[in-house]
Amino acid sequence: MLTQEEYSEQLYTEDEILLQVKEAIVQAGMPEVSVEPGYGRLLTMLVRLSRSTRILEIGALGGYSGICLSRGFTEGGTLTSLELRADYAELARRNLELAGFGDSTEYRIGPAMDSLKALEAEGAKFDFFFIDADKINYTNYLEYAIKMANPGAIIAGDNIFLRGRTLNTDRNGPAILAVRHFNEMIATDDRLISTCLPAYDGLALAMVK
C-alpha cells in the first residue's frame, strides 16, 4: 500500500527544471537531500501568500529549494542564499539562472553563522526564512531569523525528525539534541505562532509576531 506521501506525490507531475536540478545534484556527487517536492510546493505557496519580497535561505545545496522559494516572489523579490561550500553555491547559481532567477539571487559563501553576523551588522531584514543546513546550529539560526525578521515574517525549518532519530530517546548525539531544542523553541517561544508538519521528514513553520 502507498504511504500518504507517495499517494500525494502521484497527484503531481514534477516539472522539468526541478528534475534537472535533481539530476545535476546526482551528477555532482552531492547529497540527495533537497527539500521534498510536497514541501517545495508549500514553500512556493507560503512565499506567495505572505507576499514576501526578501527571502533568506540557510543552505543552498543545488538550488532546488531556492527555485521553489523564488517561484513565490512578488514583483521585485530577492533571495539571499547562505552556503558553506563554493562548489555547491555555484551549482545552485547555475540552476537558479536556468529557472530564470539568476538576477534576483545573491550567494554568500562560508559558515552561515559568519554570514548571519554580517547580515545583522548590515541591518538586513527579511520576510521569509528557510533553514535547511547543519543541524547543530538550528537554534542559532532560529534566533538570528527572529532578530532579522520583519513583523509577520515566516520561518520554515526542514528535517526536524532527522529520519526518525529525533524521536528515538536512545539517540542523543549533538545534532539530535540541537534539533530537539529547535523543535521545542518553535513550539514554545512567545515570539512565534507556530506548528510542526509531520509528513516526509518533518517541517517546522512559524510566524514572527
Side-chain angles (χ1 to χ4, degrees):
M1 187 171 65
L2 295 174
T3 66
Q4 295 172 159
E5 291 87 352
E6 288 168 341
Y7 171 79
S8 298
E9 291 303 339
Q10 284 190 351
L11 299 174
Y12 294 88
T13 301
E14 196 166 3
D15 64 86
E16 187 60 33
I17 289 176
L18 292 178
L19 289 173
Q20 288 182 44
V21 172
K22 284 186 172 181
E23 180 60 27
I25 288 171
V26 172
Q27 292 298 321
M30 295 162 60
E32 297 177 57
V33 292
S34 299
V35 65
E36 294 288 350
Y39 282 156
R41 293 189 293 270
L42 178 60
L43 292 176
T44 301
M45 287 179 59
L46 289 173
V47 172
R48 181 66 58 89
L49 285 167
S50 61
R51 299 181 182 276
S52 296
T53 58
R54 297 204 66 197
I55 299 176
L56 179 65
E57 174 186 51
I58 304 175
L61 192 64
Y64 189 107
S65 58
I67 292 171
C68 294
L69 292 162
S70 298
R71 284 178 170 173
F73 278 159
T74 55
E75 186 175 354
T78 61
L79 171 69
T80 300
S81 187
L82 312 185
E83 175 52 56
L84 176 64
R85 294 182 52 159
D87 55 337
Y88 287 13
E90 176 58 24
L91 180 60
R93 183 190 63 77
R94 293 200 302 269
N95 286 328
L96 267 290
E97 288 180 350
L98 174 69
F101 300 112
D103 292 339
S104 58
T105 307
E106 173 198 6
Y107 291 94
R108 298 203 179 198
I109 313 301
M113 289 296 293
D114 293 345
S115 297
L116 288 166
K117 290 174 186 175
L119 286 167
E120 183 185 28
E122 295 165 17
K125 294 289 184 180
F126 297 93
D127 307 308
F128 200 106
F129 301 83
F130 181 54
I131 302 171
D132 191 12
D134 63 294
K135 310 311 177 192
I136 291 290
N137 277 305
Y138 257 41
T139 53
N140 295 325
Y141 298 154
L142 179 57
E143 283 291 350
Y144 267 105
I146 294 171
K147 286 190 290 185
M148 294 192 292
N150 287 320
I154 302 294
I155 301 171
D158 200 18
N159 305 120
I160 62 172
F161 297 148
L162 293 177
R163 307 299 178 191
R165 296 194 299 278
T166 307
L167 316 179
N168 186 348
T169 56
D170 293 330
R171 302 288 297 273
N172 293 290
I176 297 169
L177 293 176
V179 173
R180 285 183 188 144
H181 187 200
F182 171 86
N183 294 342
E184 291 160 4
M185 285 181 64
I186 285 283
T188 62
D189 197 298
D190 290 338
R191 296 169 293 180
L192 303 173
I193 301 168
S194 69
T195 193
C196 293
L197 304 183
Y200 304 102
D201 197 30
L203 184 75
L205 291 176
M207 175 182 288
V208 180
K209 293 180 180 177

